Amino acid sequence: MATSTSSKLCKAVKQQYMDLPQGDKVQAMYIWIDGTGEGLRCKTRTLDSEPKTIEDLPEWNFDGSSTYQSEGSNSDMYLIPQAMFRDPFRKDPNKLVLCEVLKYNHKPAETNLRQMCKKIMDMVLNQHPWFGMEQEYTVLGTDGHPFGWPSNGFPGPQGPYYCGVGADKAYGRDVVEAHYRACLYAGVKICGTNAEVMPAQWEFQIGPCEGIEMGDHLWMARFLLHRVCEDFGVVASFDPKPIPGNWNGAGCHTNFSTKEMREDGGLKYIEESIERLAKRHQYHIRAYDPKGGLDNARRLTGHHETSNINEFSAGVANRGASIRIPRSVGQEKKGYFEDRRPSANCDPYAVTEALVRTCLLNEEGEELVKYK
């Protein structure tokens, strides 16, 4: 099993230094999405006191030419703090700071989808849109081989691994447990975890979150997972189909509801939203992975608990449909629905924005409506 060399450094030696007092200074790690739309970057600065609100955090900058975000001749990009969390690695009073990226002219970078998402969410505040996203991922060695799989060959076929227990069924649980606790410490709204259908594949759930908070908390949870995996010397992959063939892919199923859907008789509003989604399937497919649907095409085949990427379907308790209405929602006539199309590497800002545009702002067609 290939693991990183840095994970083999003596952690006890490091801990000697981490136990040293830091005076009244605070370390703030600034985190942002790079030019791939999938990768995360970070760097740390010292603050003179503990920030209590976002307004206490200064703007910062970085070299965008090294993150696929600018040319070297005009490389400065701006980091604008937007959400702050406790730091589970350095512990209190240190902070993790999720930032938006602005270009030299203070316009959003191409992969800064948060700014528009926030604008759209602000337009529907009175409808209280709630989201919950189920993030699947695969634990790999540094050589790209799934964690715990035989070096030459494959493990036994799928069946015993989903929610499995035991050394021959659950591969990499230490990563999962460490990540869960790191999220709780940080203040990320993690609500559960489970082993997934393919061995070495896991899932964590974030939510319920209202509006822009969904994207903020899922991106921070992803960052924490990458950092935890770094300590263990392994890699977290969000590839929608990490292993070709007869193995499950990885998605990011998105649960969605509004105040009307959650109240008595809410099934009517759920069904109306599904009708709107049916008419705008290709728009959503393009929004649901960072390559405009090309990544999801490898996963959404109509097999392995997916719908075909070219077809829209919906049903109660149907895990092979584009949209699933949970059985309890069908019985109680209120609640939420699950969009099973988003890929594991989706941008949650793009996904949640698309759902609001179609379901609440009643947009139609393939083009985005531009609002003042």
Side-chain angles (χ1 to χ4, degrees):
M1 182 67 205
T3 56
S4 70
T5 52
S6 59
S7 69
K8 299 176 178 64
L9 294 172
C10 181
K11 304 305 179 184
V13 172
K14 174 191 172 186
Q15 195 58 43
Q16 292 183 58
Y17 298 100
M18 298 304 292
D19 289 339
L20 294 172
Q22 61 187 72
D24 56 1
K25 302 294 186 182
V26 172
Q27 290 173 282
M29 179 175 280
Y30 283 45
I31 299 158
W32 70 96
I33 302 161
D34 70 16
T36 66
E38 301 179 61
L40 287 161
R41 306 293 179 115
C42 61
K43 64 175 185 172
T44 302
R45 67 183 297 165
T46 301
L47 304 178
D48 291 332
S49 59
E50 182 179 358
K52 303 299 183 183
T53 67
I54 284 294
E55 288 70 29
D56 297 333
L57 292 161
E59 295 182 9
W60 206 8
N61 57 67
F62 68 96
D63 170 20
S65 68
S66 298
T67 61
Y68 317 114
Q69 289 172 296
S70 70
E71 298 294 330
S73 58
N74 190 13
S75 65
D76 278 3
M77 311 283 285
Y78 296 100
L79 291 172
I80 313 299
Q82 297 294 347
M84 181 169 64
F85 299 83
R86 297 169 70 196
D87 187 337
F89 308 104
R90 294 163 172 159
K91 301 190 176 68
D92 290 336
N94 303 299
K95 304 296 181 187
L96 302 177
V97 183
L98 186 66
C99 300
E100 281 190 22
V101 176
L102 301 183
K103 296 187 284 190
Y104 69 94
N105 56 6
H106 283 269
K107 292 184 178 180
E110 282 70 19
T111 52
N112 175 5
L113 306 186
R114 185 185 190 278
Q115 194 170 102
M116 180 54 69
C117 181
K118 177 69 162 59
K119 182 176 182 177
I120 295 299
M121 294 301 170
D122 287 347
M123 294 173 65
V124 295
L125 286 175
N126 63 330
Q127 299 191 58
H128 299 284
W130 287 8
F131 302 93
M133 298 185 79
E134 306 170 20
Q135 176 69 72
E136 294 178 340
Y137 64 95
T138 309
V139 181
L140 307 176
T142 52
D143 57 358
H145 195 68
F147 182 84
W149 285 34
S151 55
N152 295 304
F154 298 92
Q158 295 180 160
Y161 308 108
Y162 172 70
C163 296
V165 178
D168 58 340
K169 300 179 185 70
Y171 302 172
R173 193 184 297 275
D174 285 351
V175 169
V176 176
E177 295 297 334
H179 174 249
Y180 203 146
R181 192 60 60 89
C183 284
L184 291 174
Y185 183 94
V188 169
K189 291 188 175 181
I190 188 170
C191 59
T193 62
N194 59 269
E196 264 304 330
V197 177
M198 189 180 84
Q201 192 178 75
W202 295 82
E203 174 183 300
F204 63 87
Q205 301 96 32
I206 302 294
C209 295
E210 186 165 332
I212 197 67
E213 188 180 57
M214 183 67 251
D216 292 346
H217 281 245
L218 184 57
W219 273 116
M220 185 54 65
R222 287 174 173 177
F223 173 81
L224 292 173
L225 180 61
H226 286 308
R227 269 292 284 109
V228 166
C229 284
E230 184 182 322
D231 284 344
F232 283 105
V234 295
V235 176
S237 169
F238 297 113
D239 190 297
K241 187 71 172 178
I243 305 298
N246 196 27
W247 302 96
N248 271 39
C252 194
H253 303 156
T254 301
N255 303 283
F256 175 58
S257 70
T258 62
K259 187 173 183 291
E260 286 181 325
M261 294 178 192
R262 296 187 292 271
E263 293 175 343
D264 288 345
L267 184 60
K268 169 178 177 281
Y269 301 102
I270 291 172
E271 290 173 341
E272 288 176 356
S273 289
I274 292 173
E275 288 178 12
R276 295 190 186 105
L277 290 167
K279 297 173 184 176
R280 220 179 184 206
H281 179 60
Q282 289 306 318
Y283 160 73
H284 282 266
I285 288 297
R286 289 200 307 274
Y288 283 3
D289 80 49
K291 296 182 179 65
L294 293 177
D295 273 347
N296 239 344
R298 295 184 283 120
R299 166 180 160 259
L300 296 179
T301 61
H303 304 288
H304 307 106
E305 300 182 59
T306 70
S307 59
N308 188 286
I309 194 169
N310 298 312
E311 301 170 1
F312 180 89
S313 57
V316 175
N318 183 357
R319 295 183 182 276
S322 308
I323 304 292
R324 180 181 72 94
I325 299 176
R327 190 172 300 284
S328 61
V329 174
Q331 292 169 345
E332 297 172 13
K333 309 300 183 187
K334 63 179 180 180
Y336 67 97
F337 66 84
E338 176 192 44
D339 192 333
R340 297 178 61 81
R341 295 171 294 176
S343 66
N345 62 342
C346 69
D347 189 321
Y349 297 128
V351 173
T352 55
E353 178 187 329
L355 283 167
V356 168
R357 281 180 178 270
T358 301
C359 298
L360 305 188
L361 297 179
N362 301 333
E363 290 186 18
E364 297 178 347
E366 299 303 312
E367 299 303 320
L368 295 180
V369 176
K370 295 183 179 179
Y371 301 96
K372 294 182 179 179

